[in-house]
Amino acid sequence: MATRAQPRPLSPAGSAGVAALATGGVASGPGPGRPGLLQDETLGVASVPSQWRAVQGIRGETKSCQTSSIATASASAQARNHVDAQVQTEAPVPVSVQPPSRDDIPRLAAFLRRVEAMVIRELNKNWRSHAFDGFEVNWTEQQQMVSCLYTLGYPLAQAQGLHVTSISWNSTGSVVACAYGRLDHGDWGTLKSFVCAWNLDRRGLCPRQPSAVVEVPSAVLCLAFHPTQPSHVAGGLYSGEVLVWDLSRLEDPLLWRTGLTDDTHTDPVSQQLPRSTKLKKHPRGETEVGATAVAFSSFDPRLFILGTEGGFPLKCSLAAREAALTRMPSSVPLRAPAQFTFSPHGGPIYSVSCSPFHRNLFLSAGTDGHVHLYSMLQAPPLTSLQLSLKYLFAVRWSPVRPLVFAAASGEGDVQLFDLQKSSQKPTVLIKQTQDESPVYCLEFNSQHTQLLAAGDAQGTVKVWQLSTEFTEQGPREAEDLDRLAAEVAT
């Protein structure tokens, strides 16, 4: 009788190998006396045939025993093996930066003292380098050059058909004020008007509800905040008076007024000096002219430019000594400030602006639709740009870009020029009014340099936000301005 061979049990390695081969799973991780993961898989797969052949060589009919053993062993081993595989790679140890100990601080200070001079020397060398002259960043998404932040207005003034005649930012750059009046023909001397202000930093700003409103008995034609007192603002009236208000005093804001006397203005105040000014206008000799605009030099507080009704700009000085030609006796001694006469516009000048970056350059604009760029060293303009077929009411240099200026036109737009890009056409044309109502005034914000405010005949003040293209100087921009001034002076 043939004896029946007993099935030989599978070793643990063989059982795990069968499980891994059957499921495609990962064999058990390394443990005491075991090889690593890769070796386990290889050993398990290789050991199955040898064990299986050993069993089959004795007797082929061992399915029930083998199936039961394999099923039990593979189920328990596979669950454990899967968990073990997740921790085959050791968890990274977090790196922590320890603060220097007290013993290291003196050595650190000594090191910084040793390298300070060298670092400063290299920084200064980089500052003087021209390696990146002309380099311009080309962003894939270009920032919008100009966008409207606020549209401000006072409904009561707009209902009366009043225009925004003047704009001013206060010394902090947070408050913008506007004057309401009329600049067209008509008797507006007795029409009640307003001065309004909005604090743009105030939470819950209401564009149609000013932070402060002052009622004025006559149309206000010009407005200017005090250079250091943020709540004090002065206005020139159609009646000829000049008033000063403190906008922080809501009940009684009036601080001072000139009244109407023999020594005050007899015409509307629109930045003008008295008409009784003796001007040496060559070659016609002495004559009386009406002054329509004024701008003081940023380099010499005694020097200023006058725009006149006759269209010619005048270089003037407060240090003048000659007596002025007067129409009537005055208790105030008047002197003739005019020193030099420039070539004229084709009509009255409405606005002048002195460059904050060059002592000899200024801009003028007027009824002929032209902007003239002048050097104080010669009579003819450096350049003449026709920006409008109608009047130009305002022109202003940028306070931060030497070659940028803005102009407001009678066709309802604000034009931004960058002379570094083009000396003939504006870089951006901003449409302020859709019906082409005139834009009468504009002012850059010298504190928040990305802001530009403009007022129009619809009684609206729009605050425009400028991109960095208009607020960051280009490479060697100041040198380009000097070159422009030098070219005309030769």
Side-chain angles (χ1 to χ4, degrees), residues 45 103 122 145 164 167 196 251 267 313 315 364 376 452:
V45 173
D103 295 337
E122 293 302 317
M145 298 181 74
V164 175
I167 284 178
C196 298
E251 297 299 326
D267 291 320
K315 178 182 176 182
S364 62
M376 295 187 188
L452 169 69

Side-chain angles (χ1 to χ4, degrees), residues 6 32 83 237 283 296 393 444:
Q6 295 297 321
V83 174
L237 309 188
F296 277 83
F393 290 98
F444 287 95

Side-chain angles (χ1 to χ4, degrees), residues 372-424:
H372 286 183
L373 172 60
Y374 288 97
S375 168
M376 295 187 188
L377 302 180
Q378 65 179 37
L382 312 178
T383 185
S384 178
L385 303 172
Q386 183 173 6
L387 305 188
S388 175
L389 298 176
K390 298 182 179 180
Y391 294 178
L392 290 179
F393 290 98
V395 64
R396 292 290 184 270
W397 284 102
S398 164
V400 290
R401 284 283 313 278
L403 291 172
V404 168
F405 68 88
S409 85
E411 297 176 272
D413 55 54
V414 174
Q415 301 185 33
L416 279 168
F417 268 82
D418 185 347
L419 297 178
Q420 200 168 38
K421 292 188 174 181
S422 173
S423 60
Q424 300 299 320

Side-chain angles (χ1 to χ4, degrees), residues 152-167 177-186 188 191-196 198 218-223 236 238 393 410 432-433 435-441 454-462:
L152 311 173
Y154 185 45
L156 184 58
Q158 293 173 293
Q160 296 180 19
L162 296 181
H163 306 158
V164 175
T165 57
S166 185
I167 284 178
C178 77
Y180 280 101
R182 292 293 294 249
L183 293 179
D184 53 1
H185 298 291
W188 304 102
L191 180 67
K192 182 175 68 173
S193 187
F194 306 93
V195 169
C196 298
W198 290 264
S218 178
V220 186
L221 301 184
C222 60
L223 193 73
Y238 184 91
F393 290 98
Q432 167 112 353
T433 60
D435 62 353
E436 297 189 352
S437 299
V439 181
Y440 287 131
C441 51
D456 55 55
Q458 295 180 338
T460 299
V461 174
K462 289 192 175 180

Side-chain angles (χ1 to χ4, degrees), residues 34 94 120 162 167 173 233 299 331 430 453 461:
R34 292 184 183 179
I120 292 177
L162 296 181
I167 284 178
V233 62
F299 297 87
S331 61
I430 307 169
V461 174

